[in-house]
Amino acid sequence: AVVSTQSGHYGRGRILFLFALCAGPLVTRAQEGQEEDEIMDSDEEEELREAEPLDDGAPVEPEIIDAPLDEEEFEIKPSPDAKVFYAFPKHDDETMFPGGKVIKALIGFQNNGAQSFIVDNVEGGFRYPMDYNYVIQNFTSFRYGREVGPGVTQTFLYMFVPSEQLAGGSRTFSLVLSINYRGEDGTIYTDSPFNETISVFEIDEGFDTEIFFMYVLLAALFALCLFGARYLFASAFGSRKSGRKTIETGTQGGIDYDYIPKEHLKKQKVTKRD
C-alpha cells in the first residue's frame, strides 16, 4: 500500500512538472506583450496630450465662395477677322414680308484674317421684340460645312416662310438671321447679319384657284339642270305630237317625164285605155 501511494504521488508530480515546463514560455511571452502594450499606450497618450484636437465632432460646413460668373466668357461672339452682310433680292422693303410665301435671303461671309473659317449653318426665326429669348417662330436651319479661305468672300442662300397666322394687324416681330462658323483652332463664332423689327402682311391675290374651281362647279351644275329640263320638256311634248294621225298626200302635177323612156309611157297609156 505504501509503494502504491508513493508511485501515485510520483505520477502527479511528474505531470505538474511537465505542465510547468510547457506553460512557462507562454506566461513569459504574455508578460512581455503586456509590457510592450503598456509602453505603446503611454507613448500614444503623450502624443495625444501634446497634439491639438483635429475634430471637435461638429459637422463640417462647406465654404461658400461668392464669385460672380462672367457671362462674357460663355457668350459666343463674332470673329474680328470676319465680316457678314445680307441682301433680299426680291424685296425692296425689308420691313414687311408676305405670309405663307418663300423669302430668299443672301448671306455673305468675308474672311479678312490669315486663317480659314468653316461656315457650319445659317438659321433664323421670329422673336418677341421686348424679350429676345422668347421665340415666336423658328425657321429651318441650312447646313453648309463650307470652308472659306483667307481673303475669300462666299455667299450662302437662305430661305424661310413666315407663317400666315402671323399676317395682318399691327404686330411686329424681330427677324434674326444668324450665321454660325468656327476657326481652324476649333473656336466657335456666331454673327447676325440681319436683326431688325419687321411685320408680316397678307397677300391679296387677284386670281384665287379655289374661287375659280367653285365657279366651274356651279357652271357644270347649271348645265346639268338645263339638260335635264330640256329632256323632260321634249319627252312630254313629243308624246302628244306622236298621238296625232298623219295623212300622207301624193304629189300632184309638176311631173317631169323626160327621163322616162317613151316605150314605157306608151305601155302606160295602153293599159289605161284598157
Side-chain angles (χ1 to χ4, degrees), residues 124-142:
F126 284 148
R127 300 178 183 271
Y128 188 60
M130 301 300 177
D131 187 1
Y132 185 81
N133 296 323
Y134 185 76
V135 180
I136 298 175
Q137 182 184 2
N138 260 334
F139 301 138
T140 304
S141 176
F142 283 29

Side-chain angles (χ1 to χ4, degrees), residues 67-270:
L69 296 176
D70 190 2
E71 296 181 356
E72 295 182 356
E73 296 181 358
F74 300 96
E75 183 180 358
I76 302 177
K77 298 180 179 180
S79 173
D81 296 331
K83 181 181 179 181
V84 295
F85 47 90
Y86 72 94
F88 294 98
K90 297 184 179 181
H91 298 277
D92 297 332
D93 190 358
E94 298 176 355
T95 61
M96 299 181 65
F97 294 95
K101 297 297 181 181
V102 178
I103 309 299
K104 294 183 179 180
L106 298 178
I107 307 299
F109 183 86
Q110 183 178 0
N111 187 355
N112 299 324
Q115 65 172 352
S116 298
F117 291 101
I118 299 176
V119 177
D120 292 325
N121 66 325
V122 176
E123 58 186 2
F126 284 148
R127 300 178 183 271
Y128 188 60
M130 301 300 177
D131 187 1
Y132 185 81
N133 296 323
Y134 185 76
V135 180
I136 298 175
Q137 182 184 2
N138 260 334
F139 301 138
T140 304
S141 176
F142 283 29
R143 299 185 179 276
Y144 301 101
R146 187 171 299 177
E147 182 178 356
V148 181
V152 178
T153 301
Q154 186 71 45
T155 303
F156 301 92
L157 175 63
Y158 182 73
M159 296 181 292
F160 61 94
V161 181
S163 176
E164 294 181 357
Q165 299 178 356
L166 302 178
S170 59
R171 295 178 297 176
T172 58
F173 313 97
S174 293
L175 175 59
V176 182
L177 302 180
S178 302
I179 181 170
N180 302 316
Y181 56 99
R182 50 191 167 90
E184 293 180 350
D185 55 354
T187 305
I188 300 175
Y189 303 99
T190 184
D191 200 353
S192 298
F194 187 85
N195 186 1
E196 301 293 338
T197 302
I198 60 97
S199 60
V200 182
F201 65 92
E202 186 177 359
I203 298 179
D204 187 10
E205 296 180 344
F207 180 77
D208 193 351
T209 55
E210 294 182 359
I211 297 177
F212 173 75
F213 284 111
M214 184 181 67
Y215 285 153
V216 171
L217 180 61
L218 291 176
L221 292 175
F222 179 76
L224 182 62
C225 293
L226 184 62
F227 178 78
R230 181 182 178 185
Y231 177 78
L232 294 175
F233 182 79
S235 61
F237 288 94
S239 60
R240 294 179 182 179
K241 291 181 179 180
S242 61
R244 298 178 182 179
K245 294 181 179 180
T246 57
I247 301 175
E248 296 180 358
T249 57
T251 57
Q252 297 179 357
I255 301 174
D256 188 8
Y257 294 100
D258 293 338
Y259 70 93
I260 300 176
K262 296 180 179 181
E263 297 178 355
H264 292 286
L265 292 174
K266 291 180 179 180
K267 289 181 180 181
Q268 186 177 3
K269 292 179 180 180
V270 172

Side-chain angles (χ1 to χ4, degrees), residues 28-42:
T28 306
R29 290 179 181 178
Q31 291 177 354
E32 292 177 356
Q34 186 175 1
E35 291 178 357
E36 292 178 358
D37 292 340
E38 291 178 355
I39 296 172
M40 293 178 62
D41 293 342
S42 61

